[in-house]
Amino acid sequence: MTPLWTSADIASAVSGTASAAFEANGVAFDSREVTAGDLFIALSGETTDGHRFVDQAFAQGAAGAIVSQPVDHPHILVADTRAALDSLGVAARARTSATVVGITGSVGKTGTKEALWAAFDRMAPGRAHRSLKSYNNHTGVPLSLSRMPADTRFGVFEMGMNHAGEIAAHTRLVRPHVAVITTIAPAHIENLGSIENIARAKAEIFEGLEPGGTAIIPHDSPQRDILIEAAQRHAGRVLTFGLGQGADVRAMDMVPSKSGGTLITVQLPGASLTMTVGQPGEHWVTNALAVIATVEAAGGDLAIAGLAMAELPGMPGRGARSNIAVPGGEALLIDESYNANPASMRATLKVLGEQMAARRVAVLGTMRELGDHGPRFHAELAEPILSAGVDFALLVGEEMAPLGQALEGRVDFAHVPAAADALAALDGRIGAGDAVLIKASNSVGLGRLVAQLTGGALAGKD
C-alpha cells in the first residue's frame, strides 16, 4: 500500500530535517487519537505543549513526529510545528488532482459535508475524503488536508469561524473548485455584530476558489444578494439552491415519505431528479438541494447522489434517532445536542412537531455566542415550541430564563441551571410512545444526558 507520507516528502513539504526514514499512513496532533502508523505533530498551545506527549504518541504506535526540538524517536525537526501543519496541508492539496469542495454556513455545514462525502464515496469508492468530526478551524482544516491521500478523487472540507477573516485563511489553504454556503443565521453574532456581517464573513469562502470555480448559495436567504455579490468577484459560475421561485436548483414537489423523510422532485438548470431525502425535516430538504447543486457543479452522478441522500443515517448530536427505555416501554430520542442557534432550534422543533408521538418533550439548552441579542433570541423560541405542540419543555442554563418567562402559563415547563440537573428533572416526565428532542450548544453538555438516556437511566422508574 502506498503510504500517505514518507519522511522525505514531509521534510520537503515543511522545510524540515528528518532524523530517520519512516512512512506514515495517518496524521494526528492529539496524542489520544494516535493510532499505529500515524505522524504525530507536536503543537504548542496556550495551555499545553504537544512535545510533552511525544512518548505517549509513540507508545500508541506513531511512526514519526514533527517537532521543534529533538526527541528520541524518528522525527522531522522544524522551527514552528504549527506552521509545519499548514505547510503539510498545502502540500497535500498541491499534489492531488481531486475535485475539492469547501463548505461553510451557520447551520447544516457538517450534515451537508457528510451527505456530500456519502455521495462521492459511492461514485468513487475509497477515493472520497472529507474533514472528520467538525475539524473546521485553524488546526482542523490543515489537519484534514494533510490526511488526504494523493489519489483522492473528491475532497470535501468544512470551514468554520468565530470572527471575520478566519474563513479567508481556511479557503486559501483548501482552494476549492466548488464553494458552498448552506445558510446564514445569527450564530456568532456576539463577535460579528449583525447578520449581514455574518454573511460577509461566510462569503470569504469564495476568495479561495480555483479559477472558473462554482459558488453555491442559498436562494431563500435574506442575505442572498450579499452572498451573490461576493461570489461574483471570484467565481466563474454561481448556482443558487432553495425552495423559492427562481432558485437554480429547486424542490418543485415535496411529499412526506413513509420512512419519515421527504420525497422531492428537484429541478436543475438542465435536468430534473426525483429522490427521497431520508432524514426528516424541511431543513434536510434544503441540505439535499445544496448537495445536488454541488454534485452537479463537481461533475458527479446525480442519481447516485440521490441514492446516498435516501440512505443517509442520522449523526450523533446532529439528528441521530434511537429508542430509549422508559417506564412502560420505549420513547424516541432525537439527539441534536451538538450545536444550536436560533435557526437550527426552529428547524428541529418543527421536526419534533411533525413527529407522531403520545407526547412531545423538548429539552433545550442555552444557545451560545449571541451576545446582547441572547435574551431576545431565547425568548423568541416560545413560538416554535408552541407551534410544535410540545407537552413539556425542560430549559437548561441560566440564559434560558427569558424563554421561561415567555412560556409562563402557556406550556408545562421546568428550568434547571445546568446539564447535570437535567436527568432528575425528567424523572416521571417521559413515558412510552413519547418523542424527546435534546438540543443545545455543545458546551452546555447535554451530550451527557443523551448518553444517560440511551444507557437506560430512566428504565424501570415509575
Side-chain angles (χ1 to χ4, degrees):
M1 184 178 69
T2 302
L4 179 65
W5 292 103
T6 66
S7 54
D9 290 338
I10 298 167
S12 176
V14 304
S15 300
T17 302
S19 69
F22 62 87
E23 296 179 346
N25 290 308
V27 183
F29 56 68
D30 185 335
S31 61
R32 296 166 296 184
E33 297 182 358
V34 170
T35 59
D38 279 354
L39 170 71
F40 174 64
I41 305 179
L43 297 181
S44 298
E46 295 180 0
T47 58
T48 190
D49 185 345
H51 292 85
R52 294 172 49 200
F53 305 100
V54 169
D55 289 341
Q56 177 182 331
F58 278 92
Q60 293 178 205
I66 296 179
V67 294
S68 59
Q69 56 195 52
V71 296
D72 294 329
H73 303 281
H75 64 268
I76 308 294
L77 186 64
V78 298
D80 183 334
T81 56
R82 188 168 296 277
L85 173 59
D86 282 351
S87 296
L88 195 64
V90 168
R93 175 65 182 87
R95 71 182 183 175
T96 183
S97 60
T99 297
V100 174
V101 177
I103 299 178
T104 192
S106 304
V107 183
K109 56 183 176 292
T110 299
T112 303
K113 174 204 65 178
E114 292 295 317
L116 269 171
W117 176 83
F120 288 142
D121 191 55
R122 282 179 175 237
M123 298 173 208
R127 295 182 62 197
H129 176 78
R130 91 284 203 191
S131 312
L132 294 180
K133 302 181 182 178
S134 289
Y135 282 164
N136 61 22
N137 63 8
H138 66 288
T139 51
V141 170
L143 176 69
S144 298
L145 281 167
S146 71
R147 290 172 166 177
M148 179 168 56
D151 66 349
T152 296
R153 182 175 168 193
F154 296 102
V156 187
F157 297 91
E158 179 179 338
M159 303 179 212
M161 61 93 187
N162 293 313
H163 298 85
E166 291 178 338
I167 288 179
H170 301 334
T171 192
R172 289 188 172 95
L173 292 176
V174 173
R175 290 169 38 220
H177 298 96
V178 184
V180 185
I181 294 180
T182 57
T183 193
I184 302 297
H188 314 302
I189 198 169
E190 177 181 19
N191 299 325
L192 290 157
S194 71
I195 194 77
E196 292 77 16
N197 285 343
I198 292 171
R200 294 182 185 99
K202 295 294 186 183
E204 292 171 9
I205 193 171
F206 304 132
E207 296 175 14
L209 271 169
E210 288 287 87
T214 301
I216 309 290
I217 287 172
H219 176 271
D220 303 327
S221 171
Q223 292 76 44
R224 178 188 65 208
D225 291 345
I226 293 175
L227 301 178
I228 290 177
E229 181 183 0
Q232 288 175 336
R233 293 196 293 268
H234 306 282
R237 182 187 185 198
V238 177
L239 276 178
T240 63
F241 67 91
L243 307 180
Q245 183 74 33
D248 297 316
V249 179
R250 184 185 178 202
M252 302 298 292
D253 300 293
M254 297 190 296
V255 180
S257 68
K258 294 181 179 179
S259 62
T262 310
L263 180 67
I264 64 173
T265 298
V266 183
Q267 186 64 52
L268 295 96
S272 63
L273 173 71
T274 298
M275 58 183 277
T276 297
V277 182
Q279 290 299 305
E282 187 176 285
H283 63 298
W284 259 107
V285 172
T286 303
N287 289 348
L289 294 173
V291 168
I292 295 301
T294 304
V295 169
E296 194 277 340
D301 189 312
L302 296 176
I304 290 178
L307 290 173
M309 290 303 306
E311 299 177 5
L312 188 72
M315 295 176 290
R318 301 179 185 275
R321 294 179 167 223
S322 58
N323 292 322
I324 59 172
V326 297
E330 292 185 331
L332 172 67
L333 176 65
I334 304 171
D335 175 16
E336 288 275 358
S337 60
Y338 189 82
N339 197 14
N341 58 52
S344 64
M345 279 283 198
R346 287 176 177 272
T348 48
L349 282 166
K350 185 176 181 181
V351 170
L352 178 63
E354 295 168 349
Q355 179 66 47
M356 296 296 293
R359 296 171 69 254
R360 299 183 183 93
V361 176
V363 182
L364 306 178
T366 298
M367 300 179 289
R368 303 293 193 200
E369 296 187 353
L370 296 177
D372 294 340
H373 304 269
R376 173 172 65 86
F377 282 127
H378 284 93
E380 287 176 351
L381 294 178
E383 180 272 325
I385 288 172
L386 296 171
S387 297
V390 170
D391 297 283
F392 174 68
L394 177 60
L395 313 182
V396 181
E398 299 296 340
E399 295 91 339
M400 278 291 186
L403 176 56
Q405 295 169 5
L407 292 175
E408 194 70 49
R410 305 170 73 187
V411 70
D412 186 18
F413 78 94
H415 185 194
V416 296
D421 308 301
L423 182 63
L426 289 175
D427 192 7
R429 294 288 195 171
I430 302 175
D434 290 354
V436 184
L437 168 67
I438 299 180
K439 187 163 183 65
S441 291
N442 187 46
S443 59
V444 176
L446 285 181
R448 292 191 295 273
L449 177 63
V450 171
Q452 290 170 325
L453 294 178
T454 54
L458 295 182
K461 291 193 174 185
D462 298 319

